[in-house]
Amino acid sequence: MSRLIYMGFKLLEPYEGKLSRTVLRGESGSNPADLPDKAIASELMASYLVYMYKTVRKFYGEAIVVTQELEDIISSKTVKNSIIANSDTVCLLDQGKFRDDYEKVASLLSLSEGEQKKIFTINQLDNKKGRSKFKEVYIKRGSTGEVYGVEVSLKQYMTFSTEKPEKRALERYLSLHGEYRKGLDAFISDFQAANLSLSEFIKKVNLNQ
């Protein structure tokens, strides 16, 4: 079973596009570098990242790099060595799609067989009953890590959700109430009164228009 973390995110205006990266922020004010594959393959980017890591560590800071594809890092030997060698903390989301060919990833991140078993439990266990909606993440510091459940409130979840049915249902409330916060409050209030699961309520809203 995963440990549970409650993340108190600040409520922001919704983002219309689907996010291409998932960012786990550490301390407030940190700015993770996103790594487009073509840019990271260049020697200029590699040299910059080496410089950045050395400079940040010199001033007792922590650089945060985010990527969807480990190949972005592996493709450049200089970048691979500078990032992996200087990463004290590694956060991994669902790794299911890499399961059949995980040797390269495991070797790169120095993951033992025991740690790999933990990683492949992410979002796979029957541990949702009686808990709010959450996603799991593996966080490794040093040689070992644990799987944690990251939970946000329903308001926060609906604000940042990129699932089309959920966005469509919420948009109906926003158009009815004319203001984001009022529409969101009405959505939450009706959902709680309906005594349905979130997926059932979303479906009902979209069907009833």
Side-chain angles (χ1 to χ4, degrees), residues 42-53 76 78-79 82:
S42 71
E43 286 304 314
L44 182 62
M45 174 64 82
S47 299
Y48 165 73
L49 285 173
V50 172
Y51 165 78
M52 180 185 72
Y53 265 94
S76 170
T78 305
V79 172
S82 64

Side-chain angles (χ1 to χ4, degrees), residues 92 95 102 111 115-122 138 147:
L92 298 175
Q95 301 289 294
Y102 209 64
L111 297 171
E115 294 304 299
Q116 293 177 58
K117 288 180 179 179
K118 294 179 188 177
I119 290 167
F120 290 123
T121 67
I122 295 175
Y138 170 83
V147 175

Side-chain angles (χ1 to χ4, degrees), residues 82-105:
S82 64
I83 291 177
I84 300 302
N86 291 286
S87 294
D88 298 316
T89 304
V90 175
C91 301
L92 298 175
L93 300 184
D94 195 330
Q95 301 289 294
K97 68 178 181 179
F98 303 116
R99 186 164 194 158
D100 294 333
D101 186 23
Y102 209 64
E103 291 83 1
K104 185 186 293 185
V105 177

